[in-house]
Amino acid sequence: MSGLTAPKGTFDTLPPDSARFLAVRDTLTAPLRRAGYGYVETPVFEETAVFSRGVGESTDVVTKEMYTFDDRGGRSLTLRPELTAGLMRAFIEHRLYDAALPVKLWTVGSAFRYERPQAGRYRHFTQVDMEALGADDPALDAEVVALGVQGFRDLGLTDFELLLTSLGDATCRPQYRELLVAFLEKLDLDEDTRRRAEINPLRVLDDKRPEVQAQLDDAPLMVDHLSDSTRAHYDAVRQHLTDLGVHWTEAPRLVRGLDYYTKTTFEFVHRGLGAQSAIGGGGRYDGLSAALGGPDVSGIGYAVGVDRTLLAVAAEGLDVGASAGVQAFVVPLGAEAKRVAVRLVGQLRAAGIAADTVYGDRGLKGAMKAADRSGASHAVVVGERDLAAGVGQLKDLRTGEQSAVPLGELFDRVRATVGS
């Protein structure tokens, strides 16, 4: 096994950093649970068509970044590059649309994209994803956006920004598309970019190359060509966000990296992360269900990167998930004391107290070092002399104070002390 390492562009999350990972993940999902969203678990691989039809044939995700393979039955499968399309597949397959609408769902899990690894961008990453399906209501759009903002606020983040725009819908996108295509035809673009423009010209606006961006200063913007109905929808979303105390920055050039977005579109960025500043985003996707063979129902949602949010937490120096995992540490000296320790630790854990003990043959010095490393506030030391006297020594590791406690009272005393 020597020499084996994690694949390029991936990483292992290990203690103590894993405590911060879990804290970020759980904090981001807590607002969703409070808002009545139900948890969904979907496979990490799907039929390739779920993503090619759902994410969009013109996207870099589909054309360049998907991990696609044939299984032993000759079926084309793909590791999920994002979570929304698979969740929508489950929504359709299990006819969740037959229930009361909107159906509110959330999930969390790994996604995979083949791209050049760099700071803040990996080939394997974890996302929190949420979707509200079956209702085209500006108030629902505002709820979705506000829940994302609340997750960041609950982490203590302050240096993030909400970018917001509208990408229109079928009532105004065709006319805007004609304007944009006519504009792009006049530019000096390579053949690959022109082909992308033929499939979805909006994708060109998302091109990050300086030589392309330099030609787009005068490009027509979707937000300037909204129909009356989409304009009214966008105005209502912004009013609801104002009522919810959510601040945003208008971003008329915002184009998300997936083809299914319509109307309300948004992105969360953090000013402490440099060029790779996005930590999450989403929007409305009223045609996605129909594109995957389901009913023509609307939807809106977002995905937030747990790994990228961790970088934002670190950039602001926040002490998230750094609290000690153990409250009480039991140090046995001898075989008979080990039985006492195992029983006491089991009792404390059953009572909801985080407890641990030392394993292996260690002397008092090594065992107390283990107690200090555990982060516990108190230690219980039980040696041969203590057993003969029918007591255990309860020590406050913060002050050094120590007292003898009868063995029959140890559990109650420890629980009362560390639980207070």
Side-chain angles (χ1 to χ4, degrees):
M1 294 294 290
S2 61
L4 294 180
T5 60
K8 183 178 181 181
T10 69
F11 57 93
D12 299 310
T13 302
L14 306 172
D17 292 337
S18 54
R20 287 183 281 274
F21 177 92
L22 292 173
V24 169
R25 184 196 67 184
D26 293 345
T27 302
L28 291 175
T29 60
L32 308 180
R33 299 193 295 272
R34 292 196 298 266
Y37 285 69
Y39 181 72
V40 174
E41 183 99 9
T42 60
V44 296
F45 59 88
E46 299 269 1
E47 292 185 32
T48 299
V50 170
F51 303 115
S52 60
R53 289 163 55 185
V55 174
E57 295 281 4
S58 70
T59 63
D60 285 347
V61 171
V62 171
T63 60
K64 300 178 181 178
E65 298 173 1
M66 295 202 310
Y67 283 92
T68 299
F69 59 96
D70 289 339
D71 70 2
R72 293 184 179 183
R75 293 171 288 264
S76 180
L77 301 176
T78 297
L79 295 179
R80 61 187 181 197
E82 56 93 56
L83 277 63
T84 296
L87 195 149
M88 182 63 80
R89 187 270 311 153
F91 170 79
I92 296 168
E93 179 179 347
H94 301 287
R95 300 182 66 88
L96 299 185
Y97 49 82
D98 287 339
L101 301 177
V103 175
K104 297 181 175 183
L105 308 171
W106 72 274
T107 188
V108 60
S110 298
F112 309 87
R113 296 184 189 179
Y114 187 87
E115 53 187 343
R116 184 171 64 86
Q118 52 189 298
R121 188 176 291 274
Y122 312 104
R123 292 176 177 173
H124 160 235
F125 50 94
T126 302
Q127 289 186 335
V128 169
D129 183 276
M130 64 89 78
E131 318 292 344
L133 308 171
D136 184 3
D137 186 336
L140 185 60
D141 293 26
E143 173 185 282
V144 167
V145 174
L147 287 172
V149 170
Q150 189 62 54
F152 296 133
R153 287 176 175 172
D154 289 348
L155 284 168
L157 291 172
T158 59
D159 203 19
F160 70 94
E161 184 178 15
L162 167 64
L163 307 181
L164 186 71
T165 193
S166 174
L167 291 180
D169 64 4
T171 65
C172 51
R173 283 273 277 273
Q175 295 88 342
Y176 171 70
R177 188 182 193 282
E178 291 182 7
L179 288 173
L180 183 57
V181 167
F183 174 84
L184 295 176
E185 286 177 349
K186 302 174 184 177
L187 304 185
D188 180 19
L189 303 175
D190 59 83
E191 292 185 9
D192 286 344
T193 305
R194 290 208 176 277
R195 280 195 295 270
R196 189 180 303 119
E198 292 175 1
I199 301 173
N200 184 354
L202 275 173
R203 302 294 315 132
V204 181
L205 299 182
D206 194 40
D207 197 310
K208 300 298 190 295
R209 292 173 295 175
E211 63 271 23
V212 176
Q213 283 297 316
Q215 302 180 67
L216 297 176
D217 289 344
D218 297 325
L221 302 175
M222 182 71 250
V223 74
D224 294 329
H225 297 84
L226 298 176
S227 64
D228 291 343
S229 61
T230 52
R231 172 65 64 183
H233 184 280
Y234 190 41
D235 288 343
V237 171
R238 291 182 289 186
Q239 184 59 62
H240 287 305
L241 289 176
T242 298
D243 294 339
L244 289 168
V246 174
H247 304 286
W248 71 90
T249 298
E250 292 287 344
R253 293 184 178 275
L254 177 63
V255 179
R256 297 286 296 155
L258 310 175
D259 278 357
Y260 48 60
Y261 288 112
T262 60
K263 292 184 180 174
T264 306
T265 305
F266 57 95
E267 189 165 88
F268 301 109
V269 297
H270 193 276
R271 287 179 282 267
L273 299 186
Q276 301 295 335
S277 62
I279 53 178
R284 180 162 285 282
Y285 43 84
D286 291 345
L288 180 56
S289 177
L292 291 175
D296 188 13
V297 298
S298 59
I300 182 170
Y302 67 70
V304 171
V306 177
D307 319 291
R308 298 188 63 75
T309 304
L310 265 169
L311 294 177
V313 166
E316 293 196 29
L318 299 175
D319 194 18
V320 174
S323 58
V326 174
Q327 296 166 276
F329 196 94
V330 184
V331 175
L333 301 174
E336 189 176 351
K338 176 65 72 71
R339 293 184 58 193
V340 173
V342 170
R343 184 170 61 250
L344 179 57
V345 167
Q347 291 174 319
L348 291 170
R349 289 173 177 172
I353 302 297
D356 201 359
T357 187
V358 66
Y359 295 98
D361 296 326
R362 297 195 191 182
L364 178 61
K365 184 176 180 181
M368 292 307 297
K369 285 184 177 180
D372 289 335
R373 287 194 298 268
S374 75
S377 62
H378 289 76
V380 177
V381 181
V382 182
E384 293 182 358
R385 292 182 181 178
D386 298 310
L387 288 175
V391 300
Q393 302 295 329
L394 178 59
K395 183 175 183 178
D396 189 324
L397 295 176
R398 299 163 300 183
T399 65
E401 295 180 4
Q402 181 171 306
S403 60
V405 179
L407 291 177
E409 300 175 15
L410 263 179
F411 167 68
D412 289 331
R413 180 74 69 84
V414 174
R415 181 174 60 172
T417 301
V418 303
S420 61

